[in-house]
Amino acid sequence: MPKPKIGDIWRYPYLWKREALDGEEAGRKLRPTALAAIVPVSQKSTRLYLLPITGTEPFADQNALKIPATEIRRAGLSEYKRLWVIMDEYNRDELETSFYFEPHAEIGSFSKAFVQVMAGRFAEAIRARKTQEVKRTE
């Protein structure tokens, strides 16, 4: 399995917060997600923080980052015309024991410059407590 890196795009059964609150345990479909953070917890445990990528225009009050056309192509998402990374929720999973993170589902990756913007916005949302976590490790 390729070692995941921040800024990589993976197909993942993302579980939206609203679905989790309704009692659902699995995402309804595979969707592109961006790895926003990777945190080694121990030698046997690595936490993954995944942000959903969507083609649905976000609401005005949503924290979302529009993906430029060059980044869409670079990330291997050319089938989509417009995309956003949603910042106000994320899935947290564990690489080594995940039932959802597939080892060969990598699509592509964003540029270093875009990753810095995305990671900065995500860190800011975490600090301001303006993002919600959906744990996928249980």
Side-chain angles (χ1 to χ4, degrees), residues 6-65:
I6 295 173
D8 284 353
I9 310 303
W10 292 74
R11 291 214 183 279
Y12 181 82
Y14 187 85
L15 182 62
W16 295 96
K17 184 69 173 183
R18 67 182 178 278
E19 295 169 349
L21 291 172
D22 286 342
E24 295 183 41
E25 295 179 3
R28 295 179 182 174
K29 68 177 186 175
L30 291 175
R31 76 167 42 257
T33 57
L35 277 168
I38 300 170
V39 179
V41 178
S42 70
Q43 287 185 337
K44 296 180 182 180
S45 177
T46 308
R47 284 191 188 143
L48 304 175
Y49 294 80
L50 298 119
L51 297 173
I53 296 174
T54 184
T56 302
E57 189 164 347
F59 297 110
D61 64 343
Q62 252 182 315
N63 184 2
L65 176 62

Side-chain angles (χ1 to χ4, degrees), residues 58-131:
F59 297 110
D61 64 343
Q62 252 182 315
N63 184 2
L65 176 62
K66 187 168 184 175
I67 304 172
T70 54
E71 293 295 334
I72 290 172
R73 286 191 301 278
R74 180 178 288 124
L77 299 168
S78 296
E79 64 204 75
Y80 303 98
K81 292 185 189 274
R82 300 180 320 157
L83 290 172
W84 291 264
V85 179
I86 302 300
M87 300 283 173
D88 45 16
E89 65 174 77
Y90 62 94
N91 280 190
R92 187 184 93 191
D93 207 341
E94 187 174 326
L95 177 63
E96 294 80 5
T97 60
S98 178
F99 290 110
Y100 309 105
F101 194 80
E102 295 290 330
H104 302 289
E106 184 178 8
I107 299 170
S109 62
F110 291 132
S111 70
K112 187 182 260 187
F114 188 76
V115 169
Q116 287 177 334
V117 172
M118 181 187 73
R121 288 269 301 267
F122 181 59
E124 181 181 306
I126 293 276
R127 279 192 300 274
R129 297 181 184 195
K130 294 190 176 195
T131 189

